[in-house]
Amino acid sequence: MSSTPTVPAHRATRPSPRPRRGTVLQLVARRLHFLAGIVVAPFLAVLCLTGLVYVFSPQIHDSLYRSDLYVNQVGEVRRPLAEQVRSALTAHPEATLKSVLTPPAADRTTRVVLTVPGPAGTPDRTVFVDPYTGLINGELSTVENRLPANTWLRRLHGNLQLGVPGRLYAELAASWVPLVAAGGLVLWLARTRRKRRLRDVLLPSTRDQTGWARLRAIHGAGGLWLTAGLVLVALTGLAMSQFAGGRADPAADPIHLRAPVLAAAPVPVPPGGGPIGLDRAWAVASTAGLDGELALVPPPAPGAPFTVTELAEGLPIHRSAVAIDPYTAEITERIGWSDYSPLAKLTALGTQFHTGTLFGLANQILLALVAVATLVLLALGYRMWWIHNPYRGRWASLPRPVWRQLAGGPLTVVLLGIAVLAWVLPLVGASLLVFLAVDAMLSRFKRRTA
C-alpha cells in the first residue's frame, strides 16, 4: 500500500510573492530613502550648518579685515606696483615675492603675496599696501590667496578641521544626497499619482490630517520643492571634492572637466637683456583686455614667462589669462572663457554658485534658504520616524533586504546601477557595500530570532 510522502513543514512554506513590476522601483526607493536617510541625515545637517556660515564669508571678511582691505582715502594717482612691492619687501627682507594682486576697486588695497622661509606648508604672508601712499595697511597669513577667516570656514565646512577623515564625512554626505532625494521623489510621486490636480501634488492640503499623516504631507511636498536646489548644491560641492571631483586632474582630464591652464613654456634668454617689470606686465595685460582684480606672477626662473590671470568672480565671467615674454613684453599664450569646454564652464559656474559668489547677495540668500529648508526637512523626517517607527522592538517586522526581493531584470539593473555609482561616486560605492553587508546581517539575525 503506497502512501503520499509528507512534505516537511519548512519546505511546504510558500515563498513570498515577488513584487509587481510597478513596485520594484518603489521598493528600492523606500529602502534607500528611509535607511540611508536616517544614517546620512546627521552628516548632512552638519554640512548645512557649516555651509550656512561659510556662504557669508565676504561679509565676515569686510567686518574682520576692513582696515587691511580698504584704503583710508581714495587718491588721484596710484603709485607704481614696483614701489608698492618694494615697501612690502622692506618690511620683510627675509621673504621673496610670489605674486601681486591688483586692487579690485578704487578703494581697495594692493595685495603683495610673499613666500616666507619655513617648513613645507607654511602659509604665505600677504602685505596690504595702500596704492596711493605706498604705506602698509596690514599683513595676514594666507593660503592660496584666501584670508584666514575664509580658510578656517572653508576647512570647517569641508572637513570639520579634521583633515582627511573630515573630508570623507563631507563627501559621503554630499554623495548620498542625490540618491536620498531621488528615493523620496519616487515615493512621493507614487503616492500622489492618482491625484488629478497638480496643486494637490505640489501643495497638498493638511486640513483633515493629523499626526504622522500631516508630517508626511509636509515632508513630501517640501522635499519635492527642495529637490532641485538640494541636488544642485550637492553636485556642485562634489565637483570640488577629493574623490568624485578631484579625480579630474588637469594634466589627465579626458572629458575636460577642469579649466584649461597656461603651459607657461620658457622663452630664450637674450644676451644682455633684462626682464620687464611688474608695471609693464600689468600694462600689457590691460591692453590685452584683462581687467578687474588681476594676479601677476613674476618669472620664477630665467626664461620663464610672466603670467597674469583674472580673479574677479561673478557675472559676467572673467576667466582670461596670458603668458608674457619677460624680455620682449609679447604675449606668448592666452586662455579665455571661450577656451573652456562645456563641462569646464559648468564646473566653473557651479563652483561659484556653491560658494555664493556667482550672482552676489541673491546667490548667498538662495543657498541660505536651501540650507535652512534642508534642516527643517531633516527634522520632519526624524519626527516621522520617531512617531511611526515600525522597527522599534519588533525585529520580525524588518523587511527583507532589497536584493532578496528582486530577481532577473530588476536585480541586474540594480547591480549595474551600483557599479556605475561606485565609479562616479567612490564613497557611495564603498558605503553601499557596507550598507548591504549590514542589511544581510540584520536579515540573518531576524531569521535566527524567528
Side-chain angles (χ1 to χ4, degrees):
M1 179 175 182
S2 62
S3 60
T4 304
T6 302
V7 180
H10 69 278
R11 295 182 59 184
T13 303
R14 295 180 62 186
S16 300
R18 293 182 181 179
R20 297 188 304 271
R21 292 189 177 184
T23 65
V24 169
L25 184 59
Q26 299 175 35
L27 180 68
V28 178
R30 182 178 294 108
R31 194 73 173 176
L32 284 177
H33 186 73
F34 179 78
L35 293 181
I38 291 295
V39 175
V40 174
F43 303 108
L44 184 58
V46 174
L47 273 181
C48 290
L49 291 172
T50 56
L52 194 58
V53 179
Y54 174 73
V55 75
F56 292 103
S57 294
Q59 288 79 0
I60 296 175
H61 294 159
D62 285 350
S63 177
L64 292 177
Y65 311 120
R66 187 168 188 82
S67 60
D68 300 307
L69 298 174
Y70 293 87
V71 301
N72 297 325
Q73 183 178 357
V74 178
E76 296 181 358
V77 180
R78 293 181 180 179
R79 295 181 177 271
L81 287 178
E83 183 178 334
Q84 300 178 50
V85 171
R86 196 157 43 244
S87 297
L89 289 175
T90 300
H92 292 275
E94 79 287 356
T96 56
L97 178 63
K98 181 177 182 179
S99 63
V100 176
L101 278 58
T102 61
D107 60 344
R108 302 292 289 266
T109 56
T110 302
R111 301 190 194 185
V112 180
V113 184
L114 305 176
T115 300
V116 295
T122 300
D124 299 324
R125 197 66 179 169
T126 298
V127 181
F128 300 85
V129 182
D130 189 320
Y132 304 103
T133 64
L135 300 178
I136 295 176
N137 278 26
E139 53 186 57
L140 295 168
S141 296
T142 58
V143 178
E144 296 180 355
N145 298 329
R146 297 190 184 97
L147 300 177
N150 182 272
T151 301
W152 193 88
L153 290 174
R154 186 183 180 90
R155 289 175 178 171
L156 178 68
H157 180 60
N159 59 25
L160 289 181
Q161 302 287 349
L162 297 176
V164 175
R167 296 177 71 175
L168 294 176
Y169 116 82
E171 186 166 348
L172 178 66
S175 298
W176 273 98
V177 165
L179 296 181
V180 176
L185 189 63
V186 169
L187 294 177
W188 179 249
L189 294 180
R191 178 180 176 272
T192 59
R193 67 181 181 275
R194 295 183 180 179
K195 296 183 180 296
R196 297 181 179 181
R197 295 188 305 173
L198 182 62
R199 183 184 181 279
D200 295 333
V201 178
L202 300 178
L203 295 172
S205 176
T206 58
R207 183 177 305 174
D208 300 329
Q209 297 178 338
T210 59
W212 183 83
R214 181 184 180 89
L215 290 176
R216 181 179 63 176
I218 299 175
H219 180 85
L224 182 65
W225 282 96
L226 188 61
T227 295
L230 185 58
V231 172
L232 179 60
V233 173
L235 293 180
T236 53
L238 288 173
M240 301 182 290
S241 63
Q242 178 181 9
F243 295 101
R247 294 181 304 167
D249 183 66
D253 186 9
I255 61 175
H256 304 289
L257 182 64
R258 294 300 185 186
V261 295
L262 293 171
V267 297
V269 180
I276 62 175
L278 287 168
D279 294 280
R280 180 73 184 280
W282 188 14
V284 172
S286 300
T287 303
L290 278 68
D291 59 359
E293 187 177 13
L294 304 179
L296 289 84
V297 180
F306 261 103
T307 59
V308 184
T309 307
E310 289 181 325
L311 298 179
E313 295 183 323
L315 300 174
I317 298 296
H318 294 271
R319 279 294 180 271
S320 296
V322 294
I324 304 174
D325 189 312
Y327 306 106
T328 64
E330 295 180 357
I331 296 179
T332 59
E333 186 182 1
R334 175 166 187 154
I335 291 176
W337 182 244
S338 59
D339 298 313
Y340 282 55
S341 69
L343 287 178
K345 289 180 179 179
L346 288 176
T347 301
L349 293 173
T351 299
Q352 291 193 40
F353 172 79
H354 190 87
T355 56
T357 58
L358 185 59
F359 42 93
L361 183 60
N363 193 166
Q364 295 174 299
I365 294 176
L366 178 60
L367 290 175
L369 290 176
V370 171
V372 173
T374 302
L375 291 172
V376 173
L377 203 66
L378 295 178
L380 289 174
Y382 271 112
R383 180 59 179 166
M384 290 169 56
W385 174 65
W386 184 261
I387 292 176
H388 195 66
N389 181 9
Y391 306 145
R392 185 168 46 200
R394 290 179 298 181
W395 285 98
S397 63
L398 275 171
R400 293 182 302 169
V402 174
W403 62 271
R404 286 182 175 272
Q405 302 183 49
L406 301 178
L411 180 60
T412 303
V413 172
V414 170
L415 293 178
L416 289 176
I418 293 175
V420 172
L421 283 173
W423 183 81
V424 178
L425 303 172
L427 289 186
V428 168
S431 59
L432 192 56
L433 292 177
V434 176
F435 173 77
L436 292 175
V438 173
D439 217 15
M441 291 174 60
L442 289 176
S443 177
R444 186 179 183 85
F445 177 78
K446 184 190 69 173
R447 291 197 304 270
R448 286 190 175 185
T449 54

